[in-house]
Amino acid sequence: MKKFLLTALCAATSTFAGPFETWNGADEDVYDQVQTGLNTEWGGFWFTYGDDGDGGASMVHWDMPLNPEYPYTLDPIIYECKGICGTAMLNKWNLTYTPFVGLAFSVVGKLSEKDRTLVTGDASSWGGLCVTYTSDTDISLELGLGEVTDSTINYANPAVPLPASKTSNRMVFSWSDFKQPSSYDGAVKIEGEAAAKQLAMVKFKIQAEDGDYRFNICAVGPKDGTCPEQCGTPSAGIQIARGTSAVKAILNGRMLGFTGIKSTATVEVLNSLGQVVMKGVINGAMDNAATISLASLNAGIYMVRVSGKNVNFAKKIILR
């Protein structure tokens, strides 16, 4: 049978581009949305997948409960772990192959708010990927190309191995490092550089024998990104900002107060979806004006942003 290279088998392709900002779970202003430079408002979000559709019983167990009001966001996990951590509980059950679960984020996003078909984008400008992680077992870092293309190549996606490491491990890959499994003998071939031009997802697949395996995906970015050597280390730019800023946000019940603001500034409160749910103005020069009430907001995780002539500050808060 003649073999050929797969160059384009996608229903819709993104044509816009921008910088991929390294996602680092230790940064104070991080959410569970990866800013790939290609994603739409529906893209870049982390999600889990597994073997349940084929008869497996594997699942991810989180170390802490998710917010019941936003059950699909991993912000509570990121806030506590400075990454996405949990236990891959692998259970073969009725599978005919080794069980697996995985974490992934979409590169562009779904086709529309109602159509969940993933759009592909050209990520070749990233040069590859950097990753910082810990894991009790090997992880396969795979390039997802969308359901149609993935099924065409029998899910033999280009991938690189992330070896098991109980301590922080930083690895950097070029697109050319991503290869289809050597066991794949299908007619349709695709390597990393071609896959990067039609990328739908970046996937972290944990596949092993039945058992429980701890993991933490601490950072992911482009090949030349700022993935830290150690999990829990904020990005350099964030460290500098924290070290030089005199502004502090203090939450007392549902009252949010600020110190160190010496002039008028704008305050925005964003929910876990990145939507501004409250906006106001404070004046640090007035003793009784540098506070705002959050009594109208539901319990959950929020990001507070303060901007003004002499201040640019962000802080994550939890309302109980």
Side-chain angles (χ1 to χ4, degrees):
M1 180 180 294
K2 183 178 180 180
K3 296 183 179 181
F4 56 94
L5 292 177
L6 179 63
T7 57
L9 267 174
C10 46
T13 301
S14 166
T15 57
F16 50 91
F20 179 1
E21 300 176 11
T22 300
W23 183 92
N24 184 349
D27 289 346
E28 189 154 335
D29 60 349
V30 72
Y31 283 109
D32 73 339
Q33 184 181 30
V34 180
Q35 300 300 326
T36 67
L38 297 170
N39 56 292
T40 64
E41 62 179 308
W42 301 299
F45 290 100
W46 289 94
F47 62 91
T48 61
Y49 64 98
D51 55 23
D52 52 306
D54 284 344
S58 302
M59 61 177 291
V60 174
H61 173 74
W62 304 116
D63 290 351
M64 62 176 296
L66 300 177
N67 187 335
E69 294 190 15
Y70 302 104
Y72 300 109
T73 178
L74 299 178
D75 281 337
I77 306 300
I78 299 169
Y79 186 83
E80 292 295 328
C81 299
K82 300 188 184 306
I84 300 181
C85 71
T87 301
M89 304 177 68
L90 302 183
N91 186 338
K92 187 172 183 177
W93 198 245
N94 292 320
L95 287 176
T96 58
Y97 56 81
T98 307
F100 74 90
V101 292
L103 293 165
F105 62 86
S106 57
V107 170
V108 179
K110 57 187 180 181
L111 201 57
S112 68
E113 187 172 8
K114 295 183 179 180
D115 189 338
R116 301 182 66 84
T117 302
L118 289 182
V119 179
T120 62
D122 185 350
S124 54
S125 64
W126 300 355
L129 293 169
C130 69
V131 177
T132 306
Y133 71 98
T134 65
S135 179
D136 286 348
T137 189
D138 295 350
I139 299 176
S140 179
L141 178 60
E142 300 183 352
L143 306 181
L145 308 175
E147 182 58 32
V148 173
T149 304
D150 287 352
S151 62
T152 299
I153 59 177
N154 197 27
Y155 303 97
N157 295 71
V160 291
L162 302 179
S165 179
K166 292 183 180 294
T167 59
S168 299
N169 192 20
R170 179 180 183 269
M171 300 195 72
V172 180
F173 304 99
S174 298
W175 288 132
S176 57
D177 295 326
F178 288 80
K179 307 291 185 182
Q180 289 181 284
S182 58
S183 59
Y184 174 66
D185 60 359
V188 180
K189 302 293 185 181
I190 181 168
E191 300 297 345
E193 290 166 313
K197 296 179 180 180
Q198 54 189 77
L199 193 59
M201 293 178 287
V202 174
K203 306 168 70 175
F204 295 79
K205 185 177 181 181
I206 300 174
Q207 188 167 25
E209 298 301 324
D210 284 17
D212 296 345
Y213 305 91
R214 295 275 303 158
F215 66 86
N216 191 356
I217 307 302
C218 306
V220 59
K223 178 183 176 181
D224 295 330
T226 54
C227 293
E229 292 290 342
Q230 298 292 324
C231 289
T233 304
S235 301
I238 300 296
Q239 288 178 302
I240 293 172
R242 287 173 178 168
T244 59
S245 176
V247 177
K248 295 186 182 296
I250 303 170
L251 184 63
N252 184 8
R254 287 304 182 96
M255 292 300 297
L256 184 63
F258 300 89
T259 61
I261 299 176
K262 299 180 180 180
S263 60
T264 301
T266 299
V267 177
E268 292 180 319
V269 181
L270 295 80
N271 64 15
S272 60
L273 300 178
Q275 302 165 327
V276 177
V277 294
M278 182 175 290
K279 187 173 183 177
V281 175
I282 58 175
N283 189 340
M286 300 173 60
D287 292 340
N288 62 350
T291 60
I292 60 173
S293 173
L294 306 181
S296 63
L297 300 181
N298 295 325
I301 297 177
Y302 295 87
M303 181 64 68
V304 178
R305 293 195 306 214
V306 183
S307 57
K309 183 178 180 180
N310 298 308
V311 60
N312 187 5
F313 173 79
K315 180 180 176 63
K316 187 176 290 186
I317 61 172
I318 300 178
L319 294 183
R320 307 288 182 184

